[in-house]
């Protein structure tokens, strides 16, 4: 375990947010006991984690769909490596749904038995960059960065938490897992068919009304105004923010990067993307009007 900076701690080559990680949990992660009906959501930060947490929770829990249960998304679908509310994962009833930002080589080895279903949700990395820049300047447990140019430098360099390594690692090892890749942009462009795809992979059949409820409650507008779904309480009260001008659900769109990157920054990004994503044939959507 290396000390990286005052915000981060490095464990086996990957950086974790120091204030919310427990190194002992990471040390035991490989042996974490997996159940066949567990479901995992894997993401690089700012790629649609909370959105997928909400969708899966709505698919699985009737009490969530019909608002008879008052449980926040983060408790329904907790983070494997960031156990913010100190839940006893071994005592959770099945099916358990976890989310995680872990790279493929740090996840519990039981996932490789291929019974457990795993989603890898990815987003075009220019929008990830912009979302992450705003987020880490807002939330106090992250390192703030003065300018987007500096943040871009760190993002492209990616030491300890590299977007390119994360997605490539999971993609290249996809045959080791029972995994479905789905993009943020797919969700955004056609939420209903994406929810159906998710249900098919999960082998969960929902009625038309249930499907409507999942779609309705997982739109950006609905989640933004739903305190159980938008993390605002946890971020503002438990984790702490540097200013009150932001929200976890910030813009929720495709192509916001165009409002931020200069032509030169964009070209620099494209050059590195082209080099590092060679032979990763995943489809990326960079613009809201793109098909
Ligand atoms: P922006 O900052 O671009 O708005 P994560 O949960 O992985 O940290 O991702 C957060 C990003 O997903 C934020 O992006 C947030 O607004 C977006 N998001 C969350 N729920 C969404 C929804 N229902 N529809 C569209 N975007 C959503």
């Amino acid at each position: 375990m290396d000390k990286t900076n005052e915000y981060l701690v490095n464990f086996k080559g990957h950086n974790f947010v120091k204030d919310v990680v427990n190194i002992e949990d990471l040390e035991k992660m490989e042996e974490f006991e997996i159940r066949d009906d567990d479901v995992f959501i894997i993401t690089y930060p700012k790629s649609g984690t909370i959105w997928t947490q909400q969708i899966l929770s709505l698919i699985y829990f009737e009490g969530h769909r019909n608002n008879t249960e008052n449980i926040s998304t983060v408790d329904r679908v907790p983070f494997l490596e960031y156990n913010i509310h100190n839940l006893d994962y071994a005592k959770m009833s099945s099916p358990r749904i976890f989310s995680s930002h872990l790279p493929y080589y740090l996840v519990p080895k039981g996932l490789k038995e291929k019974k457990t279903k795993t989603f890898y949700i990815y987003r075009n990395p220019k929008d990830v960059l912009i979302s992450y820049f705003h987020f880490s300047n807002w939330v106090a447990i992250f390192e703030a960065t003065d300018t987007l140019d500096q943040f871009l430098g760190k993002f492209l360099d990616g030491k300890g938490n590299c977007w390119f390594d994360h997605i490539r690692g999971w993609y290249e090892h996809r045959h080791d897992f029972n995994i479905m890749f789905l993009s943020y942009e797919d969700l955004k462009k056609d939420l209903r068919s994406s929810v159906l795809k998710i249900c098919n992979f999960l082998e969960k059949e929902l009625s038309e009304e249930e499907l409507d409820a999942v779609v309705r409650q997982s739109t950006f507008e609905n989640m933004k105004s739903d305190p159980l779904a938008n993390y605002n309480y946890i971020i503002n009260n438990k984790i702490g923010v540097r200013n009150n001008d932001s929200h976890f659900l910030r813009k929720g769109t495709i192509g916001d990067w165009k409002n931020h990157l200069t032509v030169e920054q964009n070209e620099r990004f494209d050059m590195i993307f082209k080099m590092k994503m060679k032979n990763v044939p995943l489809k990326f959507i960079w613009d809201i009007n793109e098909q």
Side-chain angles (χ1 to χ4, degrees), residues 203-252:
E203 296 168 273
K204 292 277 292 175
E205 223 172 288
L206 297 185
S207 67
E208 283 298 304
E209 295 77 51
E210 289 168 337
L211 189 65
D212 286 344
V214 175
V215 173
R216 196 173 50 246
Q217 292 179 64
S218 47
T219 60
F220 182 79
E221 293 70 26
N222 194 297
M223 285 178 60
K224 189 163 180 154
S225 61
D226 176 357
L228 297 175
N230 64 24
Y231 277 16
N232 282 351
Y233 179 82
I234 298 172
I235 302 270
N236 283 303
N237 297 286
K238 275 204 83 164
I239 293 183
V241 292
R242 295 196 177 92
N243 61 65
N244 293 315
D245 326 329
S246 202
H247 296 278
F248 196 94
L249 274 86
R250 192 184 58 94
K251 283 214 171 156

Side-chain angles (χ1 to χ4, degrees), residues 273-284:
F273 182 88
K274 205 167 155 201
M275 192 171 70
K276 294 207 173 175
M277 294 300 282
K278 223 183 199 163
N279 307 326
V280 180
L282 289 168
K283 180 168 168 51
F284 287 90

